[in-house]
Amino acid sequence: QVQLVESGGGLVQAGGSLKLSCAASGSIFRINAMGWYRQAPGKQRELVAAITSGGNTNYADSVKGRFTISRDIAKNTVYLQMNSLKPEDTAVYYCNAHVVTSTLYEFHYWGQGTQVTVSS
């Protein structure tokens, strides 16, 4: 009953920018936090950035100063503005949401992922 839909991935040259979006829908009572993870070939999935309902943010050291996470509470949507992209940022980016459902159960939900490729 909860779905996450991601968009905004693509191919960009090093130094360029992309903006990812993730919209949550379904039987949602409250979203405590939303975030972005990424997984590159041969590597484990890692947290990129997260934001709580109160606006607190957390970033991976590798993206600090380059990426910005934000959200639109009314739209249940989280964004990731990615600037000064590097080839090392190439990965599949996954949206995650910590959701309290309408029946007051808490779950983590995942989007299907969107590919980001940065060429040198």
Side-chain angles (χ1 to χ4, degrees):
Q1 291 187 308
V2 177
Q3 300 83 36
L4 304 181
V5 179
E6 302 144 324
S7 63
L11 190 152
V12 65
Q13 293 189 52
S17 299
L18 286 173
K19 187 174 183 178
L20 307 183
S21 299
C22 173
S25 62
S27 56
I28 299 170
F29 176 73
R30 183 177 67 248
I31 298 178
N32 291 333
M34 299 184 75
W36 291 94
Y37 291 72
R38 67 186 181 187
Q39 188 165 23
K43 296 184 178 180
Q44 292 184 287
R45 187 172 298 186
E46 64 175 350
L47 175 69
V48 178
I51 187 167
T52 69
S53 60
N56 296 317
T57 59
N58 185 42
Y59 295 93
D61 289 341
S62 60
V63 306
K64 287 180 179 177
R66 300 188 297 120
F67 291 10
T68 302
I69 190 168
S70 61
R71 83 281 192 235
D72 186 327
I73 299 297
K75 296 181 179 179
N76 288 331
T77 300
V78 65
Y79 307 93
L80 185 67
Q81 178 66 50
M82 304 184 293
N83 298 325
S84 302
L85 283 162
K86 304 175 181 179
E88 305 93 271
D89 296 317
T90 296
V92 177
Y93 284 69
Y94 297 91
C95 180
N96 176 267
H98 178 195
V99 176
V100 180
T101 70
S102 297
T103 55
L104 302 183
Y105 288 98
E106 296 186 19
F107 298 96
H108 288 274
Y109 292 91
W110 292 91
Q112 292 187 328
T114 184
Q115 177 71 48
V116 171
T117 302
V118 184
S119 62
S120 60

